[in-house]
Amino acid sequence: MTARTADTAMAAFEHTTARWGRLTMIAVLVISIAAPASLIIFGDFGITVNQIVTAYLAVAAVYLVFAVVEPVTYFPIVGQAGMYQVFLIGNIANKLLPAAIVAQNRLNVKPGTRQGDLAAVMAICGAAMVHVTSLLVFVGFFGTWLLSIVPAEITEIAQLYILPAILGAVVVQAAVTVKQIRSTVIAVAAAAFVIYVLLRVAPVLENFYVAIGVLITILGSWFLRKKTVTPDPETGAPQGG
């Protein structure tokens, strides 16, 4: 397949996924809002507009930051088509993102390339299928029985350490895959500064620490980047340190 044919095929793929991705996300949004809206309209709960606005503002104060930060953070890894998948499926950081990174690493493709985007899409599909199958088998059929035979000590340890272990492995895998030492050091330094310095000085920023860390990393990587740019041998796109 020539480069021109590959570009045409990828453009058609992105156009199709963008069209159906938007329609699917809108449909899911309507279905998600339909249940609480019907309760408010047809149920006699005495819920006022002021209460709805207050509740929305309380949630938005925490999660609106993530609504801006997460798309910017995930897009370079999963690509356009993957973005529709991850935000529809959920469990991005602890399931879908690790699957995409591992698949790209095993196939020796870089995030942001055509091959990287396609690898992420296939990995996300596989992760979702494994997740649904596991839920059906281990939760739907054997959930209660498994909980009854697993010692309480193991359950407590799993709840305490499993998420940090997964996210730590994802960070290491991402650093090894991207191979940008300068950006990795800046990201680690920014995270350490936010957690161990900034939050102790200004605890009021606790709800915004992720956004602050990402912003510091972006700015630091930009201003401390290599001034000489060399083309990527695979894509021809410019790359720096």
Side-chain angles (χ1 to χ4, degrees), residues 12-86:
F13 170 75
E14 291 180 345
H15 177 73
T16 303
T17 53
R19 182 177 67 251
W20 288 105
R22 294 190 192 101
L23 293 175
T24 304
M25 296 293 283
I26 292 173
V28 171
L29 178 63
V30 171
I31 294 173
S32 300
I33 296 177
S38 62
L39 290 176
I40 294 173
I41 296 173
F42 302 106
D44 188 16
F45 297 102
I47 299 175
T48 64
V49 175
N50 289 336
Q51 291 175 326
I52 296 175
V53 173
T54 302
Y56 171 78
L57 293 177
V59 174
V62 177
Y63 291 102
L64 197 59
V65 175
F66 294 96
V68 177
V69 172
E70 288 187 344
V72 176
T73 305
Y74 299 145
F75 178 78
I77 299 175
V78 301
Q80 175 183 291
M83 289 290 285
Y84 291 110
Q85 290 179 297
V86 297

Side-chain angles (χ1 to χ4, degrees), residues 3 10 18 37 44 50 53-54 61 81 84 89 99 103 107 113 138 140 153 155 172 177 184 199 202 217 233 235:
M10 194 64 186
D44 188 16
N50 289 336
V53 173
T54 302
Y84 291 110
I89 298 172
L107 295 174
T113 62
F138 295 111
E153 295 82 3
T155 303
V172 173
T177 301
T184 301
L199 290 184
T217 301
T235 62

Side-chain angles (χ1 to χ4, degrees), residues 14-238:
E14 291 180 345
H15 177 73
T16 303
T17 53
R19 182 177 67 251
W20 288 105
R22 294 190 192 101
L23 293 175
T24 304
M25 296 293 283
I26 292 173
V28 171
L29 178 63
V30 171
I31 294 173
S32 300
I33 296 177
S38 62
L39 290 176
I40 294 173
I41 296 173
F42 302 106
D44 188 16
F45 297 102
I47 299 175
T48 64
V49 175
N50 289 336
Q51 291 175 326
I52 296 175
V53 173
T54 302
Y56 171 78
L57 293 177
V59 174
V62 177
Y63 291 102
L64 197 59
V65 175
F66 294 96
V68 177
V69 172
E70 288 187 344
V72 176
T73 305
Y74 299 145
F75 178 78
I77 299 175
V78 301
Q80 175 183 291
M83 289 290 285
Y84 291 110
Q85 290 179 297
V86 297
F87 283 102
L88 184 62
I89 298 172
N91 290 334
I92 304 174
N94 61 346
K95 181 182 69 175
L96 303 182
L97 200 63
I101 293 174
V102 170
Q104 291 168 344
N105 184 61
R106 294 294 295 174
L107 295 174
N108 196 25
V109 296
K110 292 185 177 181
T113 62
R114 292 193 298 263
Q115 296 87 346
D117 290 350
L118 293 176
V121 169
M122 295 298 102
I124 292 168
C125 291
M129 291 178 64
V130 171
H131 189 189
V132 172
T133 304
S134 301
L135 287 177
L136 181 63
V137 175
F138 295 111
V139 178
F141 293 120
F142 301 113
T144 304
W145 175 72
L146 284 174
L147 289 177
S148 66
I149 64 174
V150 175
E153 295 82 3
I154 296 179
T155 303
E156 293 175 0
I157 292 174
Q159 292 175 345
L160 184 61
Y161 294 109
I162 191 168
L163 183 58
I166 293 174
L167 295 181
V170 171
V171 171
V172 173
Q173 185 72 60
V176 172
T177 301
V178 176
K179 298 179 181 178
Q180 297 286 346
I181 299 177
R182 181 183 289 103
S183 299
T184 301
V185 172
I186 293 172
V188 173
F193 169 75
V194 171
I195 294 174
Y196 296 110
V197 178
L198 187 60
L199 290 184
R200 295 189 179 186
V201 176
V204 70
L205 299 175
E206 181 179 3
N207 293 330
F208 308 97
Y209 72 98
V210 174
I212 295 172
V214 172
L215 181 61
I216 293 175
T217 301
I218 293 174
L219 294 177
S221 299
W222 174 260
F223 287 109
L224 298 177
R225 72 190 188 283
K226 289 177 62 176
K227 303 305 180 182
T228 57
V229 179
T230 56
D232 187 290
E234 179 184 348
T235 62

